[in-house]
Amino acid sequence: MTIRDYRCRSDDQAGVDPEIVKKLGLSLPEGHKHAESIYDIALETKKAHGRPFCELPFCHTVEAEAMGGHVNYGDERTGPRAADYVCDNLEEVLELQSMDFSEGRIHEVLEASRKLSEDGERVSLEIAGPLTMLNVLVDARKVFRAMRKDKDLVRDVFDKLHRELIAYAREAVKSGVYMISYADSAAGVNILGPKMAKELVDDFTYDFLKELQEVTAGKTVVHLCPKTSLMLVDTGKATFVDIDLPDAMSYGEAIDYIKDTSNFVGQMCIQNLSREMGTKQIKTIVLNEF
């Protein structure tokens, strides 16, 4: 089986522009921790870079931190990242707390999303996939070893993370987000290889997205990292469906055009929302039925 990989460009990276933080009179890492500063940074970033959406959060550690993970918040040069691991093995991941959306940074991110939405801004909220979350919680070598040798344990862990991420998605929809962006940066086929990539799709990604589709249908469009899109299509779990556009437009404008009629998009990186499509079509993603 051949699974295509999407090659990230050098500008396909999320983060916070230190010049924007300086302009706002804020500081990092404090700017990551409070709804008011998150709001200000997201809005100013949208304006400064001409982006169609306010994009949150500014890192890939929010979900794991909400389950008890330790995060090093970094500074102006480096953003939040994993600190010391809170789990020695995957069994301990099963014992971690559930996300509490009433406190902590995950609450602040959701509150910033709500305020931006209430003020008429369109918010794109990124939700991290399971391997990205696990990279914050436990040594990645132990995760990959278990994926090869203890598939039942891995499925149990995936089931737990599935429930947690769906709960987060429900809160995101309630907070009024315009688009959920799903990405699992640690799970590209270039990292996993085709066999393990297919197992991830079979054991987590397809079922998770099926339920996410139910949670978001008619309310919030879901953008998939193109690495995930290609893994779904090339394993036979989904199909690309081209939608005609009335005119040439940017990727973000095209997503806006098809939002009310399509559940999933994901042919380009989320960082390319302002980039012109170069064609009068956009590829949507339809999950196949089994």
Side-chain angles (χ1 to χ4, degrees):
M1 173 183 295
T2 299
I3 300 177
R4 290 167 290 173
D5 188 29
Y6 176 85
R7 293 187 178 182
C8 298
R9 297 164 52 96
S10 60
D11 58 351
D12 286 354
Q13 304 297 324
V16 176
D17 184 340
E19 291 302 314
I20 288 176
V21 176
K22 182 178 179 180
K23 176 182 177 181
L24 292 169
L26 300 171
S27 65
L28 295 177
E30 285 303 308
H32 291 289
K33 300 179 181 180
H34 309 289
E36 293 79 9
S37 54
I38 294 170
Y39 175 109
D40 289 340
I41 293 170
L43 186 57
E44 186 61 30
T45 300
K46 174 201 167 187
K47 294 176 180 177
H49 295 286
R51 295 176 180 172
F53 306 133
C54 291
E55 300 166 41
L56 296 173
F58 311 130
C59 69
H60 309 294
T61 63
V62 172
E63 299 87 349
E65 183 184 39
M67 293 180 65
H70 294 171
V71 172
N72 179 339
Y73 282 94
D75 52 29
E76 283 79 6
R77 295 183 300 278
T78 59
R81 58 195 184 280
D84 57 300
Y85 297 123
V86 295
C87 298
D88 288 329
N89 50 58
L90 281 188
E91 286 87 351
E92 292 184 4
V93 174
L94 295 173
E95 300 171 4
L96 291 175
Q97 66 194 35
S98 292
M99 295 181 188
D100 184 348
F101 304 109
S102 67
E103 62 180 14
R105 189 158 56 112
I106 199 166
H107 169 75
E108 301 299 322
V109 169
L110 288 168
E111 185 66 7
S113 298
R114 183 185 65 78
K115 290 180 179 178
L116 284 163
S117 298
E118 288 178 352
D119 289 347
E121 297 295 333
R122 295 179 297 172
V123 176
S124 171
L125 180 74
E126 180 169 327
I127 291 181
L131 295 189
T132 300
M133 289 179 65
L134 289 171
N135 265 356
V136 180
L137 301 170
V138 63
D139 189 326
R141 291 171 296 182
K142 296 180 180 180
V143 175
F144 291 131
R145 187 180 305 122
M147 289 179 73
R148 291 192 301 271
K149 298 184 176 181
D150 198 343
K151 298 185 187 301
D152 288 340
L153 171 61
V154 171
R155 290 190 189 100
D156 288 343
V157 171
F158 282 169
D159 285 346
K160 178 180 178 68
L161 299 184
H162 176 135
R163 293 191 299 271
E164 296 296 329
L165 291 176
I166 287 294
Y168 186 26
R170 291 186 190 280
E171 294 298 319
V173 171
K174 284 194 282 186
S175 75
V177 301
Y178 182 91
M179 178 167 68
I180 288 175
S181 170
Y182 175 77
D184 201 357
S185 58
V189 68
N190 58 315
I191 297 173
L192 299 179
K195 181 176 183 294
M196 203 174 288
K198 182 179 185 305
E199 289 172 354
L200 177 65
V201 171
D202 291 342
D203 294 341
F204 181 88
T205 311
Y206 176 80
D207 290 337
F208 170 72
L209 292 179
K210 285 288 287 184
E211 186 166 0
L212 184 61
Q213 181 174 266
E214 296 174 6
V215 170
T216 58
K219 304 170 187 174
T220 303
V221 67
V222 178
H223 183 279
L224 303 180
C225 167
K227 287 180 177 287
T228 298
S229 301
L230 291 173
M231 287 167 63
L232 286 164
V233 171
D234 289 347
T235 57
K237 295 292 188 181
T239 303
F240 281 127
V241 176
D242 290 334
I243 302 294
D244 292 330
L245 302 171
D247 204 347
M249 56 183 67
S250 70
Y251 189 38
E253 290 170 334
I255 291 173
D256 189 39
Y257 179 79
I258 57 87
K259 174 181 179 289
D260 294 331
T261 57
S262 302
N263 294 114
F264 298 105
V265 293
Q267 71 186 78
M268 298 170 67
C269 178
I270 194 70
Q271 296 302 311
N272 297 330
L273 291 172
S274 299
R275 186 169 295 169
E276 291 297 317
M277 292 284 294
T279 177
K280 292 185 180 180
Q281 284 186 329
I282 184 173
K283 292 184 181 298
T284 63
I285 298 146
V286 176
L287 297 178
N288 295 334
E289 297 293 336
F290 296 94

